[in-house]
Amino acid sequence: PLARAAAAVFVALALHQIGGRVLVHLTAAPLAAGEAALTAALLGLLRDDVMVAGNAIATEGHLLYVISDCLSLNLVMQGLLCCFAVARAFRPVWRWSELWSWALLICVMVAFNLVRLALVGWGPGLFNLLHEGPGRTLVELTGLALQLAIAGWAVRREMWGARR
């Protein structure tokens, strides 16, 4: 079972690297427009000067384009790989119950990314703070921490059982 689990993680990583890029490329335009619309709706709760056209969000004096690198799909794919790898480390055999953690991960990553986009769409100051340098690193580490927390939650029984 351990060799199969390791092979499964390797295959998942390969699919993530190859298939994930193809999936992002094929779905970028409609997903970017959809995420721009959702971000504009979220941002519109805080501001009343928000307009959206395709993948562009405009506020007074600030224009934000949602591009393929900004999509929630990137975080979702990374998170699914994280959950899968952590689960195989603690539980070599796959279980249907993992689908619940995947569903939770998808919801959390989409919400996290929409909040991030809304914050960088607020104005140039927050854009520069959260999109460059240490702010970007902090945002990326926060996303990874959320992914690891969900992955740990999914295997909590195996982790706690292993300590006894």
Side-chain angles (χ1 to χ4, degrees):
L2 292 177
R4 283 188 186 154
V9 169
F10 180 77
V11 169
L13 181 59
L15 287 173
H16 175 269
Q17 286 299 104
I18 298 166
R21 291 179 184 175
V22 171
L23 183 63
V24 168
H25 179 71
L26 292 175
T27 61
L31 287 179
E35 289 204 38
L38 290 171
T39 300
L42 181 60
L43 196 53
L45 295 175
L46 306 171
R47 303 177 64 135
D48 40 344
D49 63 343
V50 179
M51 296 183 302
V52 65
N55 68 327
I57 304 165
T59 61
E60 188 176 318
H62 185 59
L63 183 62
L64 175 71
Y65 287 98
V66 179
I67 61 172
S68 60
D69 288 346
C70 303
L71 296 176
S72 299
L73 181 58
N74 294 307
L75 289 169
V76 167
M77 289 186 312
Q78 178 185 338
L80 290 174
L81 179 61
C82 176
C83 280
F84 188 78
V86 169
R88 294 298 68 78
F90 288 94
R91 183 188 324 126
V93 179
W94 188 82
R95 292 187 190 162
W96 283 101
S97 62
E98 290 180 41
L99 292 177
W100 290 111
S101 62
W102 295 359
L104 175 64
L105 176 105
I106 290 168
C107 293
V108 169
M109 289 297 100
V110 169
F112 174 75
N113 197 53
L114 290 176
V115 168
R116 179 190 70 84
L117 287 171
L119 288 173
V120 299
W122 184 263
L126 275 176
F127 178 88
N128 292 332
L129 178 67
L130 298 175
H131 203 265
E132 306 293 332
R136 180 181 181 151
T137 301
L138 181 62
V139 168
E140 290 173 353
L141 287 174
T142 302
L144 182 59
L146 287 169
Q147 294 166 2
L148 287 170
I150 293 168
W153 173 80
V155 295
R156 64 193 178 280
R157 289 181 184 89
E158 288 81 2
M159 288 188 338
W160 292 333
R163 286 195 234 161
R164 293 181 184 176

